[in-house]
Amino acid sequence: MRIKNAVLYHVRLPLKHYFETSFGRVYQQDHVVLEIETDAGLCYGEAPVGERPDYSHETAGTAMHVLKDFIIPSIGDKEIKDIDELMAAYSWIRGHNMAKMALESAFWNWNSLKQQKPLKEIFKGVRDYVEVGVSLGIHNSPKELMERVEAFLSDGYRRIKVKIKPGWDIKILSEIRKSFGMIPLTVDANAAYTLDDMEHLRKLDDFGLIMIEQPFHYEDLADHAKLQAVMSTSICLDESITSLESTRHAMEMESCRIVNIKPARVGGLWISKLIESYVQRYDCPVWCGGLLEFGIGRAYNVAVASLPNFLLPGDISGSSRYYEEDIVDPPMEPVKGLMKVPDVPGLGVNVRKDRIEKYCVNKIVCEI
Ligand code: OSB
Ligand code: MG
């Protein structure tokens, strides 16, 4: 791959419904879209950074800066022959995984077009369809949440995940179980608890949850291990898993029994594949998390979720779950909770440049 031209777009899409986690409530999503011009045509990547540095350190501003001033110049107009060469060029840059994901995924777009093979085949995926679930935020009232659970179950989503925090946990779980029985259910705390809440969290064992996602601080592998040792419910780590190394530490310390892989959080699709394969030796299943990706990021996540150890439904909802209008055509939508894995070379969806321009709040043309 040789980059002839690179453009960064800060794209802001309004959300159809607010999304609230233990970090707070948001009404829109700010992501960075990278477009590179190559000998295989225009290729795209997305950094699903969000609006504020809460879930991760990155924002649209930091991703644009690091891509423009460091990641793209580290490649420049050099010929890059494979993924090892690509990653080696910017491996000196610490962190900024989402910015790296933007370029790395655009590279796979090029690679897939060049080889005329679908991404699924390149990554050695084994599924034609992936099972998807939905992630539901904290709502104004339990009643509102119950209505949303009902609506998404009837849309066919295969698992419901609800965001929890102190004061919004046991009560809503009791209500969900009372109204919907033993539906596949998980919870995500986004680090809202501490070791002092251990006795409280143990009560969640009564609800038959598939997992409890990230109860503690992202740096706290030790406390997660203490909690996992006394709970029958599996702990799943999300924010704590930022690389193959942090995954190894989590496995060796027995901090969790399930891993959430978000390609953008770990710095790319290739690292996602390495993690997926590594944790198999611990009999640890993985699933594909999400960051309310626009259509570009979603297409890559779907391809990754077709790998063999992705054994649980992903947070890969349809475009229409979050957005009125997506930046790809046709929008990707699951049917009966199954999302089709693209089986054509490239992204598998058409990028709508008119929509990128329509929702773009800042555009930078990089010097190559
Ligand atoms: O913790 O999984 C999370 C969204 C933003 C930040 C963090 C998380 C989430 C989600 C939504 O749960 C996942 C999705 O539907 O894309
Ligand atoms: Mg999470």
Side-chain angles (χ1 to χ4, degrees):
M1 177 182 80
R2 194 190 295 275
I3 300 177
K4 296 181 198 161
N5 197 17
V7 185
L8 292 164
Y9 301 89
H10 173 169
V11 180
R12 177 174 294 158
L13 289 187
L15 287 167
K16 280 163 74 169
H17 185 283
Y18 65 79
F19 190 74
E20 183 173 328
T21 65
S22 56
F23 306 121
R25 184 176 286 191
V26 293
Y27 296 88
Q28 60 190 29
Q29 281 292 302
D30 287 46
H31 295 187
V32 174
V33 172
L34 167 66
E35 176 189 81
I36 54 173
E37 195 188 326
T38 71
D39 63 352
L42 292 178
C43 296
Y44 291 90
E46 176 178 335
V49 284
E51 243 187 307
R52 310 183 305 174
D54 49 17
Y55 170 82
S56 108
H57 310 79
E58 297 181 74
T59 64
T62 69
M64 302 271 274
H65 160 55
V66 173
L67 276 158
K68 168 181 162 284
D69 293 325
F70 301 107
I71 298 179
I72 306 247
S74 72
I75 310 295
D77 64 353
K78 284 199 288 286
E79 175 73 33
I80 298 290
K81 71 170 189 306
D82 56 26
I83 183 65
D84 292 336
E85 239 179 66
L86 181 83
M87 285 170 52
Y90 56 68
S91 64
W92 62 275
I93 299 169
R94 183 177 294 186
H96 298 284
N97 285 355
M98 297 191 188
K100 289 172 182 169
M101 167 73 177
L103 179 62
E104 196 241 15
S105 55
F107 164 84
W108 288 114
N109 191 167
W110 168 83
N111 189 290
S112 169
L113 288 171
K114 198 71 186 165
Q115 293 194 55
Q116 281 299 299
K117 281 187 189 163
L119 284 170
K120 186 186 104 176
E121 205 180 311
I122 294 174
F123 293 131
K124 300 196 167 59
V126 294
R127 276 176 258 283
D128 296 328
Y129 292 86
V130 297
E131 281 197 300
V132 299
V134 70
S135 170
L136 295 175
I138 294 161
H139 284 67
N140 289 330
S141 66
K143 181 168 171 287
E144 261 184 43
L145 175 63
M146 296 308 132
E147 286 165 9
R148 303 267 290 166
V149 171
E150 184 166 10
F152 285 104
L153 283 174
S154 61
D155 276 355
Y157 282 98
R158 303 232 167 167
R159 170 277 275 148
I160 299 288
K161 157 170 141 182
V162 291
K163 296 290 188 182
I164 56 167
K165 64 176 183 182
W168 182 271
D169 48 22
I170 305 259
K171 185 164 149 35
I172 57 145
L173 291 176
S174 308
E175 289 212 22
I176 292 174
R177 284 298 185 220
K178 208 166 71 202
S179 306
F180 304 101
M182 289 309 286
I183 54 163
L185 184 64
T186 76
V187 296
D188 186 357
N190 287 114
Y193 298 87
T194 68
L195 213 45
D196 293 341
D197 300 308
M198 188 114 119
E199 284 313 306
H200 178 73
L201 287 170
R202 288 181 73 173
K203 296 185 196 143
L204 300 189
D205 268 345
D206 296 342
F207 291 97
L209 303 171
I210 301 168
M211 70 186 93
I212 301 176
E213 196 177 331
Q214 197 72 41
F216 300 150
H217 191 267
Y218 72 99
E219 289 174 308
D220 224 335
L221 292 180
D223 288 357
H224 281 105
K226 284 185 193 156
L227 181 66
Q228 183 65 94
V230 298
M231 288 198 71
S232 58
T233 310
S234 293
I235 307 292
C236 168
L237 291 178
D238 172 351
E239 286 92 316
S240 298
I241 302 293
T242 54
S243 61
L244 187 57
E245 279 305 283
S246 55
T247 309
R248 182 171 67 78
H249 298 152
M251 292 295 108
E252 287 184 358
M253 292 172 73
E254 298 183 27
S255 307
C256 66
R257 297 201 288 246
I258 298 177
V259 165
N260 166 327
I261 295 182
K262 293 184 187 176
R265 188 193 64 235
V266 301
L269 306 168
W270 197 246
I271 297 174
S272 301
K273 185 173 164 61
L274 296 178
I275 293 174
E276 176 262 352
S277 143
Y278 171 76
V279 299
Q280 284 192 48
R281 72 187 72 171
Y282 292 92
D283 274 326
C284 174
V286 307
W287 56 284
C288 184
L291 289 165
L292 299 90
E293 277 84 354
F294 302 163
I296 296 170
R298 180 178 299 109
Y300 292 117
N301 285 0
V302 171
V304 159
S306 73
L307 294 177
N309 197 27
F310 279 78
L311 294 170
L312 295 159
D315 275 345
I316 309 176
S317 39
S319 298
S320 64
R321 184 262 180 267
Y322 291 118
Y323 307 110
E324 213 66 68
E325 218 173 39
D326 201 343
I327 57 170
V328 302
D329 236 1
M332 293 177 86
E333 296 295 342
V335 177
K336 297 192 176 129
L338 291 176
M339 189 78 95
K340 187 170 184 337
V341 182
D343 54 6
V344 294
L347 261 183
V349 283
N350 299 309
V351 173
R352 288 281 300 259
K353 273 194 82 162
D354 56 328
R355 301 243 178 98
I356 292 181
E357 296 282 357
K358 174 174 170 189
Y359 295 104
C360 177
V361 295
N362 184 20
K363 174 175 171 178
I364 298 177
V365 179
C366 301
E367 272 175 43
I368 301 295

